[in-house]
Amino acid sequence: MRRPWRAVGTWLLLVIAAVACGAAVSMHTTTEADYRVGQSGTAAAQIERAGLDAPDTEFVVLSRTSGAAVGSDVRATADRIASTIRTDSHVQQVGKPATSPDKKLMIVPITMKSVADDKDPDISAITRTVDDAQPRAPGMHIVQTGDTSMNEAINTRVGDDLGSAESKSLPITIVLMLIVFAALIAAGIPVLLAIASVFATMGLMGPVSLLLPMEDSVTSVILLIGMAVGVDYSLFYLKRERQERQRGASSADAVEIAAETSGHSIVVSGIAVIVSMGGLYAVGDVTFASIATGSLVVVAFAVFGSLTVLPALLSLLGPKVDRPRIPLLWRLSRRMQPGSVSKRLLGPVLRRPVAALITGLVILGALAIPALGMKQQTASLDSLPRDIPAVRAMQQIGGAFPGDGPTAEVVLQGDNAQTLRHDAKIVANNAVSTGDWKKVADPVRVSTDGRTAVLTLGSKAPEGSFASGDAVHALRDTVIPQAVASSGTKWAVGGGVAASYDQMEHQSSGLPKVLIVVLGLTLVMMLVTFRSIVVALLTMALNLLSVGAAFGVLTAVFQHSWAESLLNFHSTGGLISWIPIFLFAVLVGLSMDYHVFVLSRIKEKIDAGLPPKLAVREGVQETAGVVTSAAVVMISVFALFATLSMVEMKEIGVGLSIAILLDATVVRLVLLPSALALLGRWAWWPSRGGRGGAARRPVDPAPYTVREPVGMG
């Protein structure tokens, strides 16, 4: 690199400018309207236009800590709380304290005033009232719950969980990099470049969100993807540059060789991740659009940094990049021959490739079998952590007060208010007769112009459950059409229960779209990169196998109860519906990092004239340390998510960890080498190898004996 300081300065200015953009333009976040899909989305828009939005509700829940029946003292406390809350200017109405049929619970229902611009009402005064009441009520348990308070509690828990994971992931990554490189500067460069890419991307989300509103959670995805690929790319580049210096190349030549080999692999890997994450746009969902946008930008930053500032730093530092050394780790790494561990595993695979291929297929196939029974459902009250007081209190209300709980809202539209009320009555009676629904207090509300009526029905099944989905389906297909057939009233079914069902259906139908787009584009990309139809098809098959195995493990763990105590969660009998789509895109993208890196090294050997089986052996052994190191970093970070309290985070952690583990072992050390060994030069058809992109330096066909600090491998 001729002007390294210019490259470093340009990179720093770019990062500073991106961060400054974030400071100047705050991120425009999504609103409730952005999540509307299907018929429930239509119903929500109709309710909003008619001015019939149901106000947010809060509850103060009182019980005895002993579990005994509530008495006059509990009612007196409830009355005092209700009296204080009535003075709150943000409250529209406070109902009389109500006792549950089993006498174990008492609630104070609170109706909040509507707030403009889709904002949450101010519940701070209610929270202070509850906090002040608890110390004055010995022997009682007083909890606030409701629409807003539960959302706040969940968001706080998610933020705390992610903050904990983030604070732990950074030191883990640094320690692993120190073990890999045994030198402080070399270990610090990948982490610093990855962090810079993450912060720059977060800064750019402000301006980008003016075009596409972002979810708050996108910052966590940026951190997850950015640290994974940022560390990987720098690791690939640094290890190749060090390897060439160990072989006798000058620092300048080593950087140039790394740029032509590992640099090329980084570009292809980056495109693969961008293609995979970009496939999320096919879902047509604001959540996945946010994830895709954040991922695309952070990967682009990581690739750009690896191709500009990283070689510039290596040109400036030269051999000093291996300083200061960590004495014990440095001596241990120098004694290890490259690929010493993988060499022992790879030998039997290449001696008996048919047996190895069958064994690998059986392992992944067996792990994938449970995925055939995978069920998807939306997040619900039952899937939330039960140690959150607001969640537990809402679950208590649902169990103790049969008349309360999740609801659906049937929107009826016509020209006559009397006809709409009559139709609403018939719909309610027919729905209740099915056994899936129950009546609620004040079930019908009519707009001031008399053209819209909203019927509220109570669901007997929990929101997000399979039973509630079946009930919504029957309501739409049978109950309502039969009830309004003679009047011609227009209708739509919305509300919480229907919205959960529509969201699940929308996301479930998105998985095939993402699969087709991602695999199709990946196939084309591999075909263009390696000029081989066989390699492209093999890549697609291996991706499907590893993802299928990860889905199988997820299904076996989270759809059943045997792992509940191990991972501290409550199984609801299905996976959260957005998880499979997210995991598929991430897993294909991240697995392509290793795949492209290993295949590129093997192709170097083929182009240099090595026999196919020897090229496979040398290519896999030379990349073993880098791939294993990168895999260990990813698995260590992803495994942290399995320790978080939200079941979605646990599913992400388990899915990513298992998939990377399988990809770095069974796929890389068994399936890929055995398949390439069996195919021979036909693996590179139609190019057949030997043409198109020969390595810059001739490759010695004899096994390498140069010892380098490989770290892990």
Side-chain angles (χ1 to χ4, degrees), residues 236-256:
F236 294 165
Y237 207 109
L238 280 164
K239 292 290 283 186
R240 185 60 185 261
E241 187 271 347
R242 176 187 276 187
Q243 186 181 66
E244 296 302 331
R245 280 193 290 108
Q246 291 288 332
R247 289 174 177 169
S250 66
S251 295
D253 287 342
V255 172
E256 187 175 353

Side-chain angles (χ1 to χ4, degrees), residues 52-298:
L52 295 174
D53 292 297
D56 286 347
T57 56
E58 290 288 309
F59 299 93
V60 178
V61 183
L62 301 92
S63 61
R64 293 195 184 278
T65 54
S66 63
V70 297
S72 57
D73 57 335
V74 177
R75 175 168 289 278
T77 301
D79 287 336
R80 285 195 298 271
I81 292 174
S83 178
T84 303
I85 293 175
R86 286 190 183 96
T87 63
D88 184 1
S89 60
H90 300 97
V91 171
Q92 177 177 313
Q93 181 181 358
V94 179
K96 293 182 179 180
T99 305
S100 63
D102 63 2
K103 309 298 183 183
K104 298 294 182 66
L105 215 63
M106 182 172 290
I107 63 171
V108 179
I110 306 162
T111 303
M112 306 299 298
K113 290 181 179 178
S114 298
V115 182
D117 300 327
D118 198 31
K119 294 181 179 179
D120 291 329
D122 186 350
I123 60 170
S124 57
I126 301 175
T127 303
R128 286 195 298 272
T129 300
V130 172
D131 291 342
D132 291 342
Q134 181 62 81
R136 303 173 187 173
M140 298 182 201
H141 190 52
I142 307 175
V143 182
Q144 177 185 350
T145 189
D147 301 324
T148 304
S149 56
M150 196 160 64
N151 285 337
E152 288 184 358
I154 293 169
N155 290 336
T156 299
R157 174 60 64 86
V158 171
D160 291 344
D161 280 355
L162 292 176
S164 174
E166 292 164 5
S167 64
K168 293 176 182 176
S169 64
L170 186 59
I172 289 175
T173 302
I174 293 173
V175 169
L176 291 173
M177 287 296 97
L178 288 173
I179 295 174
V180 170
F181 290 105
L184 292 178
I185 295 178
I189 288 176
V191 178
L192 290 175
L193 289 183
I195 291 174
S197 298
V198 168
F199 276 101
T201 302
M202 289 181 179
L204 287 182
M205 286 302 99
V208 171
S209 68
L210 297 177
L211 302 175
L212 177 70
M214 295 286 132
E215 277 198 344
D216 289 327
S217 60
V218 72
T219 56
S220 300
V221 174
I222 290 171
L223 179 68
L224 185 75
I225 302 296
M227 290 302 295
V229 299
V231 170
D232 268 12
Y233 296 161
S234 298
L235 188 60
F236 294 165
Y237 207 109
L238 280 164
K239 292 290 283 186
R240 185 60 185 261
E241 187 271 347
R242 176 187 276 187
Q243 186 181 66
E244 296 302 331
R245 280 193 290 108
Q246 291 288 332
R247 289 174 177 169
S250 66
S251 295
D253 287 342
V255 172
E256 187 175 353
I257 294 168
E260 293 184 358
T261 54
S262 294
H264 175 73
S265 298
I266 288 169
V267 171
V268 177
S269 296
I271 294 173
V273 179
I274 288 173
V275 164
S276 298
M277 301 307 295
L280 293 176
Y281 287 117
V283 183
D285 183 278
V286 66
T287 298
F288 292 113
S290 296
I291 292 173
T293 303
S295 301
L296 266 58
V297 176
V298 77

Side-chain angles (χ1 to χ4, degrees), residues 508-667:
S508 297
S509 65
L511 182 57
K513 298 176 187 177
V514 175
L515 190 146
I516 292 171
V517 170
V518 171
L519 290 182
L521 291 177
T522 301
L523 186 71
V524 172
M525 188 200 69
M526 294 299 291
L527 182 60
V528 171
T529 301
F530 292 99
R531 304 178 189 178
S532 168
I533 296 174
V534 179
V535 165
L537 291 173
L538 178 62
T539 298
M540 187 170 67
L542 293 178
N543 280 335
L544 285 173
L545 278 170
S546 59
V547 170
F551 281 4
V553 173
L554 271 180
T555 302
V557 170
F558 290 99
Q559 280 188 196
H560 305 282
S561 59
W562 63 271
E564 286 182 337
S565 59
L566 181 66
L567 294 174
N568 190 27
F569 75 100
H570 172 68
S571 175
T572 56
L575 301 180
I576 305 301
S577 57
W578 66 271
I579 296 295
I581 301 176
F582 174 76
L583 287 182
F584 175 78
V586 173
L587 292 177
V588 171
L590 295 184
S591 67
M592 289 294 288
D593 274 359
Y594 308 144
H595 191 72
V596 169
F597 188 64
V598 175
L599 278 178
S600 296
R601 191 65 68 90
I602 295 173
K603 188 65 163 59
E604 281 185 48
K605 311 299 181 183
I606 291 287
D607 288 341
L610 265 66
K613 188 173 288 189
L614 182 58
V616 171
R617 176 183 289 113
E618 296 297 338
V620 173
Q621 285 179 197
E622 286 187 16
T623 56
V626 181
V627 173
T628 303
S629 301
V632 170
V633 171
M634 284 194 187
I635 293 170
S636 300
V637 173
F638 295 154
L640 290 173
F641 282 76
T643 66
L644 305 184
S645 59
M646 304 296 291
V647 70
E648 294 100 321
M649 297 297 105
K650 292 180 183 294
E651 290 177 3
I652 289 174
V654 171
L656 290 176
S657 300
I658 292 296
I660 298 299
L661 176 63
L662 293 174
D663 195 73
T665 53
V666 178
V667 174

Side-chain angles (χ1 to χ4, degrees), residues 326-403:
I326 303 174
L328 179 60
L329 290 176
W330 183 264
R331 286 196 297 270
L332 288 174
S333 62
R334 294 286 291 178
R335 292 173 185 171
M336 294 177 65
Q337 189 173 349
S340 57
V341 176
S342 60
K343 184 176 181 179
R344 297 186 182 92
L345 300 174
L346 195 59
V349 170
L350 295 179
R351 283 195 299 270
R352 298 179 180 84
V354 175
L357 184 63
I358 293 174
T359 301
L361 291 174
V362 169
I363 292 173
L364 293 188
L367 291 174
I369 287 175
L372 298 175
M374 184 174 67
K375 298 178 181 178
Q376 300 179 52
Q377 56 186 189
T378 56
S380 64
L381 191 63
D382 287 340
S383 66
L384 295 173
R386 297 185 175 184
D387 61 341
I388 299 177
V391 171
R392 188 169 59 250
M394 187 61 76
Q395 290 172 332
Q396 288 176 324
I397 291 175
F401 291 87

